[in-house]
Amino acid sequence: MPITVVGSIAYDAVRTPFGERERMLGGAAVHFALAASFFEEVSVVGPVGDDFEEQHLAMLSDRGVLVHDVERIAGGETFFWKGEYGWDLNSRETLDTRLGVFEGFQPKLSERSRESDVLFLANIQPSLQLQVREQLPHARFTALDSMNLWIDVAREDLVRAIEGVDCLILNDAELRQLTAKPNLVSAAREIISWGPPAPSVIVAKQGEYGAALVTKDSFFALPAYPLETVIDPTGAGDTFAGGFVGYIAAHTEDDWGDELLRRAMAHGTALASFNVEEFGTERIERLAGEEISARVRELSEITSFSGAPLARLQG
Ligand code: AMP
């Protein structure tokens, strides 16, 4: 099923302990679309400024991403984000966020983007996520990502946007912040209990520890793929979301059950692991489908164990 994504299309300045880039292609919608393009056709919705380079649109098109709803705003500046990571890459400080062309942007979706069965509202102002959601009232699977900034400055709009989707994908700390609950599982179930309408699937991203999946009656978790070298985690969450939602889009006919969601988690995890091996989109741009499948197989092996025979316990 074809996918539409709205979210930041950006230039990022990033410093990690292993190097830096002053201006690289980034943005939540870009990382998502590159990952999801391995599974289904993805249309990206969002503005860029005069400064956005043609070669970056061409690279997305070469990967099969539809870019006709990427609107170039004359006189505008492309969204810019600057961040720096601590030595173990678990902590990140945002040094600058410039919304640029996203300020006052009114999304006008083409018929192709409105006809998608699957919608991903990637990280951007919640008011914009709401506007795009309204233009796809009949989408069959909808998911949303956000971040602490929007929980702080636009909570009301964000809660409305979350109530309008099937699946919420957030960092574990953001889930706790959003619900004011210290426990991850109870935070996730709290959001499910907002409904209907509310998401029935919650994915908690946990960085180097992997990701957890919570529904009303089930729980599943995967570790991150064990890498010895991580260079730049920027966009890992969006790349995970692209693999997760992309897999669901490619394999869902009517409903999404636990088994399908678990395989989707494995594909998101595998894709995210490639993303962090190099800066920005560098690794994913030259990734091949068989590399993803090989890592999904490895993940399946390293996470499987047999419960039998059970230990003979004292007491
Ligand atoms: P992640 O590492 O998955 O959290 O995503 C990082 C990407 O999110 C970067 O490429 C940034 O351009 C983008 N980003 C950072 N801050 C924001 C924001 N406030 N709104 C939308 N996108 C953002």
Side-chain angles (χ1 to χ4, degrees):
M1 301 194 291
I3 305 169
T4 292
V5 57
V6 61
S8 53
I9 302 167
Y11 283 125
D12 292 341
V14 170
R15 182 184 296 173
T16 82
F18 310 105
E20 62 184 305
R21 293 287 184 276
E22 272 182 17
R23 190 174 166 84
M24 65 184 184
L25 177 65
V30 168
H31 285 289
F32 173 90
L34 282 173
S37 69
F38 284 95
F39 303 89
E40 274 291 351
E41 191 180 76
V42 191
S43 176
V44 178
V45 176
V48 295
D50 294 323
D51 55 342
F52 199 74
E53 290 172 43
E54 235 5 270
Q55 54 152 334
H56 291 139
L57 286 179
M59 182 278 290
L60 288 167
S61 298
D62 286 350
R63 272 237 37 94
V65 175
L66 301 179
V67 295
H68 49 253
D69 279 349
V70 175
E71 198 181 324
R72 196 180 279 280
I73 312 280
E77 189 203 355
T78 299
F79 181 103
F80 178 78
W81 176 77
K82 182 174 183 179
E84 184 169 352
Y85 291 83
W87 71 277
D88 65 355
L89 298 174
N90 274 333
S91 59
R92 167 166 95 184
E93 194 185 347
T94 290
L95 303 174
D96 197 4
T97 301
R98 297 206 297 266
L99 284 181
V101 287
F102 273 96
E103 237 154 337
F105 173 65
Q106 301 278 328
K108 294 170 283 301
L109 274 60
S110 63
E111 203 173 322
R112 159 64 190 80
S113 292
R114 277 186 277 116
E115 278 175 355
S116 283
D117 293 303
V118 174
L119 172 64
F120 185 62
L121 303 170
N123 184 21
I124 198 59
Q125 298 104 300
S127 57
L128 196 52
Q129 294 179 316
L130 280 164
Q131 284 181 49
V132 172
R133 176 72 183 95
E134 277 165 17
Q135 294 183 54
L136 281 90
H138 305 301
R140 285 156 68 184
F141 183 79
T142 54
L144 178 147
D145 187 11
S146 190
M147 70 184 293
N148 54 353
L149 171 70
W150 307 119
I151 302 175
D152 287 336
V153 306
R155 191 193 154 83
E156 224 172 279
D157 278 349
L158 178 60
V159 168
R160 271 208 300 139
I162 290 172
E163 284 173 347
V165 296
D166 302 302
C167 172
L168 173 64
I169 303 176
L170 272 190
N171 289 341
D172 53 359
E174 293 159 355
L175 274 174
R176 292 186 176 98
Q177 184 188 351
L178 181 66
T179 56
K181 288 211 176 269
N183 176 285
L184 187 70
V185 179
S186 69
R189 296 239 160 90
E190 156 94 13
I191 292 167
I192 294 169
S193 78
W194 289 351
S200 57
V201 178
I202 312 283
V203 176
K205 294 176 287 179
Q206 299 171 300
E208 69 166 317
Y209 305 109
L213 173 85
V214 184
T215 68
K216 186 166 166 286
D217 306 308
S218 71
F219 178 88
F220 177 69
L222 275 182
Y225 178 85
L227 289 172
E228 289 195 22
T229 310
V230 175
I231 299 294
D232 171 26
T234 307
D238 311 305
T239 305
F240 171 92
F244 179 77
V245 173
Y247 186 88
I248 292 171
H251 295 92
T252 303
E253 290 308 326
D254 301 312
D255 209 355
W256 49 90
D258 277 349
E259 282 306 316
L260 181 108
L261 291 172
R262 289 173 182 207
R263 284 196 297 273
M265 290 275 289
H267 284 79
T269 300
L271 269 148
S273 74
F274 288 108
N275 179 77
V276 303
E277 286 181 337
E278 292 180 26
F279 275 93
T281 59
E282 289 166 15
R283 179 68 179 95
I284 302 288
E285 280 183 38
R286 52 179 172 73
L287 185 63
E290 38 312 351
E291 295 179 283
I292 304 170
S293 304
R295 270 199 190 169
V296 169
R297 271 195 296 276
E298 273 186 78
L299 266 173
S300 162
E301 279 160 25
I302 63 177
T303 55
S304 85
F305 73 98
S306 159
L310 287 172
R312 265 195 241 117
L313 300 169
Q314 314 286 324

